[in-house]
Amino acid sequence: MSKQKPQRRPETRAVHDGLDFRDQTGAVVPPIYATSTFLNGNRGGFDYTRSGNPNFNNLEAVLAGLDEAEFATSFSSGVAAITAVVSSLKLGDLIIAEENIYGCTFRLFHQVFEKFGLRVLYLDLTQPSSLDKITFMQPEMVWLESPTNPLLKVIDIAAVAERTRQAGATLLVDNTFSSPLVQQPLTLGADLCLSSTTKYVNGHSDCLGGVVCTNDERWAQKMVFAQKALGLNPSPFDAWLITRGVKTLGARMERHAKNALQLARYLENKPGTRRVRYPFLPSHPQYQLARRQMRSGSGILTVDLGLSLKETRKFLQRLQLFAFAESLGGVESLVCHPASMTHASVPKEVRERVGVTDGLVRFSVGIEHVDDLIEDIENAMEGVKHEKSACIPSLARS
Ligand SMILES: *Cc1c(COP(=O)(O)O)cnc(C)c1O
């Protein structure tokens, strides 16, 4: 109707949504409701923090808005959000999952839920034959990430959504690597959008969180049930921190993407580099699709520096601005080494076949000045080269 408020843009909503419960003090920022329980019959309808707290409501309001969702449920971590969704399935249900999914999701499927009779089939969802399998196998759920970790494969969410809908299944997209400011899976046809808010949404590497957004009321009820029945709720303080962090998501994602694209171009032109993967580089295999479904390339890029395992380790140790650590999506740049960290348990031949080579490194590009980041990489590479020539004089470059 004409009286309706104009739909504000995501950057604005990130700042202005989720501000209820400011109480009578005039506080511009809502306080932290550090309480386990609530007086019976209160106006907010709260009873016990495991099943709801004003700080969860504020966080859920802003996150639902950013994903164009009617409902959002907050959890204590991304893994807790995954647990909430998977625990809603039943014995014998089949999930078709993208084969390049996050390691902890794979571990949870394999080491926990398969014990209870969950079946999971892993497929490369960039292949048309995999989409045919969705039609043929009639799974209960299809599970994907895009871009994937660490190879940044981009999956056509709208195409998978169409097939999933025809099969009467539920499509879940783990949107952690993009954030809602880069990609909105629900608008592309996904039923559930899950994020580890630990990463870009909070953006400051100072707490864990997760969220599931949906327009399907039945799924929303299942998520609320899982939050309280399984004890997957966040703490009020963490919910408050993420509500604070998300305010700058618009500005941060712009800067992450700008820095990452510049760094990707620099690395691609650097002699000796084997392969740079970044969704918004024209050399990316799904470049056109990425341009269609993402607003930017986000802040993660992977590169094979063409170094041996030993040299790669030296390179990582010599970086000063890129902290050598797991995780991603914070304001500070991080670097990780998939072959020895996230994929260490995968046999070397299998790793190499899927592209996780010894020389592969993954950068989570922060919001620092990009010239400092480039200098940091240059200096670390110089160090590796010098040692190389010192040890093997016959190979020293003139
Ligand atoms: C980190 C991550 C998770 C898990 O989130 P936590 O908050 O660490 O539990 C899930 N999916 C993806 C893609 C992630 O990067």
Side-chain angles (χ1 to χ4, degrees), residues 4-187:
Q4 233 175 8
K5 265 202 289 182
Q7 181 75 316
R8 296 207 170 103
R9 290 153 191 86
E11 291 81 351
T12 311
R13 302 188 72 168
V15 176
H16 288 275
D17 289 358
L19 294 176
D20 288 339
F21 309 101
R22 290 198 271 195
D23 70 31
Q24 290 94 9
T25 64
V28 169
V29 176
I32 304 169
Y33 286 85
T35 183
S36 57
T37 191
F38 298 83
L39 288 176
N40 192 265
N42 65 79
R43 269 188 289 146
F46 297 103
D47 49 45
Y48 189 66
T49 280
R50 180 152 31 75
S51 55
N53 176 289
N55 293 114
F56 306 176
N57 289 25
N58 280 342
L59 176 61
E60 289 162 359
V62 64
L63 296 183
L66 294 182
D67 263 321
E68 306 271 349
E70 221 174 308
F71 312 99
T73 314
S74 58
F75 297 99
S76 56
S77 67
V79 164
I82 298 168
T83 302
V85 173
V86 184
S87 69
S88 309
L89 299 179
K90 56 186 189 312
L91 183 76
D93 279 351
L94 173 70
I95 295 183
I96 288 189
E98 157 55 41
E99 64 183 7
N100 194 199
I101 56 167
Y102 179 64
C104 298
T105 307
F106 174 79
R107 183 175 61 192
L108 197 55
F109 286 169
H110 187 59
Q111 286 180 246
V112 180
F113 286 103
E114 284 180 15
K115 273 194 317 205
F116 298 103
L118 180 76
R119 295 177 302 137
V120 190
L121 175 66
Y122 296 92
L123 297 173
D124 177 357
L125 292 180
T126 58
Q127 299 303 314
S129 61
S130 302
L131 300 196
D132 292 340
K133 281 236 171 72
I134 295 174
T135 307
F136 180 67
M137 306 280 299
Q138 300 273 309
E140 192 61 30
M141 182 171 265
V142 177
W143 192 291
L144 67 86
E145 287 163 28
S146 183
T148 63
N149 177 31
L151 297 171
L152 306 178
K153 207 163 69 167
V154 177
I155 315 288
D156 189 338
I157 297 174
V160 177
E162 176 66 18
R163 286 300 189 98
T164 306
R165 198 183 51 73
Q166 285 166 4
T170 300
L171 173 62
L172 180 142
V173 174
D174 180 335
N175 203 38
T176 304
F177 269 44
S178 295
S179 92
L181 264 289
V182 168
Q183 170 176 286
Q184 293 172 306
L186 299 183
T187 66

Side-chain angles (χ1 to χ4, degrees), residues 59-60 63 72-82 176 193-199 201 207-213 227 232-234 238 242:
L59 176 61
E60 289 162 359
L63 296 183
T73 314
S74 58
F75 297 99
S76 56
S77 67
V79 164
I82 298 168
T176 304
C193 175
L194 181 150
S195 291
S196 164
T197 52
T198 309
K199 318 289 172 55
V201 171
C207 73
L208 304 193
V211 69
V212 177
C213 295
Q227 187 194 51
L232 302 174
N233 59 285
D238 287 352
I242 299 165

Side-chain angles (χ1 to χ4, degrees), residues 176-375:
T176 304
F177 269 44
S178 295
S179 92
L181 264 289
V182 168
Q183 170 176 286
Q184 293 172 306
L186 299 183
T187 66
L188 296 167
D191 302 290
L192 302 172
C193 175
L194 181 150
S195 291
S196 164
T197 52
T198 309
K199 318 289 172 55
Y200 285 113
V201 171
N202 180 49
H204 293 76
S205 308
D206 51 11
C207 73
L208 304 193
V211 69
V212 177
C213 295
T214 186
N215 286 310
D216 182 332
E217 193 169 357
R218 284 165 313 158
W219 268 105
Q221 282 166 358
K222 289 180 196 178
M223 293 302 92
V224 170
F225 175 79
Q227 187 194 51
K228 71 175 169 202
L230 302 178
L232 302 174
N233 59 285
S235 76
F237 179 48
D238 287 352
W240 183 90
L241 274 177
I242 299 165
T243 310
R244 179 175 73 158
V246 76
K247 287 182 198 298
T248 55
L249 184 60
R252 283 188 283 110
M253 289 320 293
E254 267 179 39
R255 179 60 167 250
H256 282 299
K258 187 165 160 247
N259 278 358
L261 181 59
Q262 241 173 294
L263 197 59
R265 286 193 182 127
Y266 152 79
L267 287 166
E268 202 168 46
N269 292 323
K270 189 174 165 58
T273 340
R274 280 215 197 120
R275 173 143 187 216
V276 184
R277 286 186 180 83
Y278 183 68
F280 269 41
L281 276 185
S283 59
H284 189 282
Q286 293 98 28
Y287 173 67
Q288 296 298 342
L289 169 62
R291 295 293 303 237
R292 253 197 340 268
Q293 97 184 357
M294 301 167 77
R295 279 171 79 180
S296 75
S298 197
I300 313 291
L301 67 96
T302 55
V303 52
D304 186 332
L305 294 165
L307 302 174
S308 69
L309 185 58
K310 213 166 140 208
E311 290 162 352
T312 306
R313 285 219 185 98
K314 272 191 200 135
F315 167 75
L316 295 170
Q317 241 104 55
R318 277 165 201 278
L319 287 167
Q320 304 206 320
L321 288 176
F322 286 90
F324 183 21
E326 303 255 8
S327 201
L328 61 111
V331 290
E332 65 285 296
S333 290
L334 296 178
V335 64
C336 84
H337 183 233
S340 69
M341 296 162 91
T342 47
H343 289 64
S345 57
V346 182
K348 188 174 156 102
E349 319 80 69
V350 181
R351 265 196 276 128
E352 304 253 310
R353 182 149 40 78
V354 298
V356 183
T357 49
D358 284 347
L360 188 83
V361 297
R362 186 192 79 191
F363 293 109
S364 171
V365 184
I367 63 166
E368 301 93 336
H369 196 295
V370 71
D371 290 348
D372 289 326
L373 298 178
I374 290 175
E375 267 172 41

